[in-house]
């Protein structure tokens, strides 16, 4: 058996991370009794989360930098990682070598697709690709495609698709490539030293699913009863934010948690609901929390 140091020297950058992770699980039991080590392993076992009932990813057909068509349908049967990025984005540049390694390692079952945004000169994207040795297709993402995927509020933004073309996870920002590898291996039904949990998309992936959300960024429901909370959530999903985003209040809180317009308006609605005489039961029409709502007209007397 090769010593640990030799193994690490033989591994590439992504593999070293994965190997260190595995070694921690191999060596840890020798430091404790069997019962204690089992408890430690259980408590320290990482968890990856994937959408339990995923929606299909919006398809597209773009011309790649090499002139070949780029689409999700063309990668059907493989796990897909859609990576929205830009040449000027520091975190995007930092993660590119790891994406190249992942594509190389899982070339038969993984397809990474790079979708460049804010591109003035495609030649700049090609130069970037050449300098980093990118081994997956690149295309320029039009604004319409970005909106289909939620607007892409920050870079990099990556969407993970299963072999059926459904979005099972979304990551905004720079992440350890080990996380991507664990998720990819889970979708490929390969062994991983982690537990897989599923969750319901409540706007984290598709903003249209924000109506399922029971908690929203920057919204304090602590003073509301369960019925009052339902009334407030209905109001958030039924009223458009006036900041210009063309989203509901609930969607705006998820998409742009820094928006002061949706933050102040949702806080006002929570206050209105909290002081209303009574909150409607689920299924009843919303009336009390909405200010300046027209009163119910009196019925004319019966003849």
């Amino acid at each position: 058996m090769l010593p640990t140091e030799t193994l690490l020297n033989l591994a590439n950058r992504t593999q070293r991370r994965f190997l260190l992770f595995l070694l921690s699980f191999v060596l840890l039991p020798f430091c404790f009794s069997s019962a204690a080590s089992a408890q430690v392993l259980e408590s320290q076992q990482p968890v990856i989360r994937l959408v339990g009932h995923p929606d299909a990813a919006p398809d597209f057909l773009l011309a790649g930098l090499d002139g070949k068509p780029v689409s999700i349908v063309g990668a059907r049967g493989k796990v897909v990682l859609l990576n929205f990025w830009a040449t000027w984005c520091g975190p995007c540049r930092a993660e590119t070598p790891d994406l190249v390694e992942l594509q190389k390692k899982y070339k038969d079952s993984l397809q990474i697709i790079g979708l460049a945004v804010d591109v003035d000169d495609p030649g700049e994207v090609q130069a970037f690709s050449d300098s980093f040795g990118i081994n997956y297709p690149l295309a320029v993402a039009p604004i319409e495609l970005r909106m289909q995927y939620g607007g892409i509020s920050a870079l990099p933004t990556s969407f993970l698709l299963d072999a059926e073309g459904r979005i099972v996870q979304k990551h905004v920002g720079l992440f350890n490539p080990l996380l991507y590898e664990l998720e990819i291996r889970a979708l490929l039904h390969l062994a991983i030293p982690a537990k897989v949990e599923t969750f319901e998309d409540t706007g984290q992936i598709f903003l249209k699913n924000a109506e399922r959300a029971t908690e929203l960024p920057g919204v304090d429901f602590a003073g509301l009863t369960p019925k009052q909370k339902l009334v407030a959530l209905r109001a958030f999903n039924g009223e458009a934010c006036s900041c210009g985003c063309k989203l509901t209040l609930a969607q705006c809180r998820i998409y742009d948690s820094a928006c002061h317009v949706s933050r102040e308006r949702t806080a006002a609605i929570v206050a209105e609901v909290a002081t209303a005489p009574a909150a409607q039961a689920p299924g009843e029409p919303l009336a009390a929390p909405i200010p300046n709502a027209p009163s119910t007209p009196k019925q004319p007397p019966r003849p």
Side-chain angles (χ1 to χ4, degrees), residues 53-181:
H53 300 91
D55 293 316
D59 197 15
F60 53 82
L61 180 59
L62 302 173
L65 292 185
D66 58 2
K68 297 179 181 179
V70 177
S71 69
I72 294 175
V73 171
R76 189 60 56 88
K78 293 185 176 183
V79 172
V80 175
L81 184 66
L82 290 181
N83 180 242
F84 287 85
W85 67 287
T87 57
W88 47 261
C89 166
C92 301
R93 301 174 72 91
E95 76 173 0
T96 298
D98 293 309
L99 297 182
V100 170
E101 289 294 333
L102 281 173
Q103 182 63 76
K104 184 186 302 182
K105 185 174 181 179
Y106 297 97
K107 61 182 179 180
D108 295 329
S109 50
L110 168 69
Q111 183 59 70
I112 298 176
I113 299 176
L115 299 173
V117 304
D118 296 336
V119 175
D120 296 323
D121 180 13
E124 183 179 348
V125 179
Q126 185 63 61
F128 181 96
S129 175
D130 294 340
S131 64
F132 280 85
I134 292 180
N135 54 357
Y136 48 86
L138 297 176
V140 176
I143 185 65
E144 295 80 11
L145 179 59
R146 292 161 60 179
M147 294 309 296
Q148 283 184 293
Y149 278 85
I152 312 300
S153 58
L155 296 175
T157 292
S158 296
F159 295 85
L160 185 66
L161 284 59
D162 63 16
E164 297 178 35
R166 303 174 300 178
I167 297 180
V168 296
Q169 188 51 277
K170 172 185 177 181
H171 297 296
V172 180
L174 181 63
F175 283 81
N176 189 323
L178 173 59
L179 174 62
Y180 291 144
E181 184 161 13

Side-chain angles (χ1 to χ4, degrees), residues 3-13 15-16 19:
T4 300
E5 183 177 358
T6 304
L7 287 172
L8 293 178
N9 288 335
L10 290 174
N12 62 35
R13 177 159 77 162
Q15 290 170 328
R16 282 200 301 270
L19 187 55

Side-chain angles (χ1 to χ4, degrees), residues 207 210 216-217 219 232-243 245-257 259-269 290:
L207 283 176
L216 295 169
V219 179
L233 286 168
R234 286 201 203 109
F236 299 161
N237 286 297
E239 181 176 329
C241 182
S242 60
C243 73
C245 65
K246 298 181 180 180
L247 302 173
T248 66
L249 289 171
Q251 291 172 334
C252 187
R253 294 310 304 147
I254 293 172
Y255 178 74
D256 183 9
S257 60
C259 175
H260 69 91
V261 176
S262 61
R263 182 175 63 248
E264 294 171 3
R265 179 61 186 138
T266 51
I269 291 176
I290 303 301

